[in-house]
Structures are given as structure tokens and as C-alpha cells.
Amino acid sequence: MILKVIAEHNSGHFFECQDKGKLSIERLFGSGVESMKHCSNCGKELKDEAKFCPNCGQSVLVSNEHDEQADVKSNKQQASTDQKYVISKSHDLDEVATPRVTQKQKNNSKQSLIIAVIVAAVIILGGFSFVKKRVVVSRDQLASNITKAVQNQDGKLFLKQFSKDDQNLKFSDIGSKSVVKDIHNHSRDSLSDVGRIITDGQRVSGTEVKYHFSVESKKVLGMFTSYYLTTRRTPVRVLDYTGSGGPVTIKLRDADNQRVTKQLLNSGFFPGKYNFNVTLGDTQGNYWIWAAGDGETIDLTLTSDD
């Protein structure tokens, strides 16, 4: 604590404290500090043993009593001031340590929360709407897509109505194209009804073969039911009646003469017509099969007469 002497008054010297105001030496160090006595009436300096003022005759006893009363009153006032100062400082610190939140700030916070909730709700609803329109296919929508694919002879759109496994089957695009062409050209039912007929589990009449399609469903996001078509693969068994005993090479003419492996023949084809070029030794011929999607094996019979 740094002290600075600023004044002298009567019997006490006062000091200025950097954070507490003025304190007397008597309050800091006790009453042992010596000081000159003065007459309370005229201010004349008095000797310590003087009982009367040599200037005005004022009794020193009365002067001392007056000085003591003044000191007591001054000390009480100073103590009161110190107490008020401490209380004021404490109150100021409380205000700094605990800032108050205004009503305007509370309202702004509520508004921000409401806006955040609204934005989240819009995003969620928008996501559900997108899924429902672009991913989920109702039974009526499935029928409509099938009808549209047949009317436009759109093999790609027709194939999209099937399960992913059926779509990923090798050469399924070729089979799908032949199916819509067959239904379009040979159906005895109205083309506008073929979608409903297939989704109802019935067979379209008048086609080259009776196609077997089934309607399945799945849950999307655990909330929406989506419908799609499934079918069964048609395996192909090659029967060689030529008697040559040589290796057989089969190529699919509809796919730029891509070679058809024995594994693919055994695993089966998507419904539809497939045209093959078969080479057996020195003999070459054209063959075809028409898969119906019923899972039955088709025999591809090779003869020397072909």
C-alpha cells in the first residue's frame, strides 16, 4: 500500500491510500505519534505542559477535550465512509461478474431457435417429398410406367420397373426390348390396359409366349411402400445332335456377336427373344430362344440339318 502525506490538521496527520481514501496515523499506527498542541480558540502553538493559552487565555483542557471530540467524530465519519466504499466496490464487482441478460436478448434467442426448428422441418419434409416422388413407386405408378413403356416400345423404361438383380442380369436390356415389342405388336388386350393387367398378376394375351411377371413391394425409410416387378431366369441347355463332337461356340447376334459363356447359359436369361450364332467345328448356324420368365430350362438343339 502506497501512502502519501497530504496535510496536517490539529492533532493528527492524514494520509491518502490508493484505494481507501484518507486514514489518520493514529488509526494506522496507534496514538504513539507526537504532535504539537494548538489552542482551539486562536490556533496558537502550545507547550505540552501548558494549561492555558498565553495568547488568549483559553483553557488547554477545554481545547484538548474539544480536539478529542473532534477526533472521535472524524474517526466515526471516516469509518462510515470506508464501509460505504467497500460496499460500493463489492456491488460493482457483482455487477461485472454477473452480467444481466436483457429481455431483448432473450427474445432474439427464442426467435433464432424458432427459425432453426422451421429450417430443419423444411429440410426434413423436402427430403421426404423427394424420396416419395423419385424413389417410391406406388402400384398405380408401376402400372402406368409399364403401359407407357409398351406403348412407346421403350425397353429401358420397362426394365427399370424390375428389381436391381433382374436389371443387372447380363443381356437383360436385349430381352426387355424384345418383350415390349412383342406386347406392342401382338397383344389382343388394349395397350392402355397392359400395365394394370401385369400388376394384377395376369398374363397379356396374344403374345408369342406367356410372360411371367410378379409384383413385389419393399419399405423405403421404413415409412413408404414401393412396388416393382420380378421374374425368373430361363436357363439354356445345349443339345448337340450333329455328331461332330467338336467344341461349340455361341455368340449373341443382338449384342454385336458377344460370346455367350456356358456359365451364363446355365444361370439363365431375362424374359425375351435372343438370337444366337452357333459354331460347331466347321458348321455354323443361327438359332433363337424365347424366354418366358417361368424358370423352365430351354433346350437349344443343334442338328446337322440347320
Side-chain angles (χ1 to χ4, degrees), residues 126-163:
F128 280 129
S129 178
F130 175 83
V131 170
K132 190 172 182 179
K133 291 181 178 180
R134 299 297 182 89
V135 180
V136 176
V137 179
S138 66
R139 183 180 286 270
D140 290 340
Q141 185 63 48
L142 178 63
S144 176
N145 292 342
I146 295 171
T147 298
K148 183 178 179 180
V150 171
Q151 290 175 335
N152 298 330
Q153 297 187 60
D154 189 344
K156 291 182 178 180
L157 177 59
F158 184 74
L159 185 60
K160 286 182 179 180
Q161 310 314 309
F162 287 81
S163 67

Side-chain angles (χ1 to χ4, degrees), residues 31 38 60 93 101 116 121 147 180 209 215 229 269 283 291 298 303:
S31 59
H38 294 77
V60 175
L93 290 174
V101 179
T147 298
V180 295
V209 296
V215 178
L229 293 177
F269 289 84
T283 305
I298 294 179
T303 63

Side-chain angles (χ1 to χ4, degrees), residues 124-125 127-129 131-132 136-137 218-227:
I124 293 173
L125 293 176
F128 280 129
S129 178
V131 170
K132 190 172 182 179
V136 176
V137 179
K218 62 182 178 180
K219 286 291 184 180
V220 178
L221 299 179
M223 299 177 59
F224 307 109
T225 302
S226 185
Y227 295 88

Side-chain angles (χ1 to χ4, degrees), residues 223-242:
M223 299 177 59
F224 307 109
T225 302
S226 185
Y227 295 88
Y228 59 96
L229 293 177
T230 60
T231 188
R232 300 179 67 184
R233 301 179 182 183
T234 300
V236 177
R237 179 173 53 192
V238 178
L239 301 176
D240 180 10
Y241 289 105
T242 64

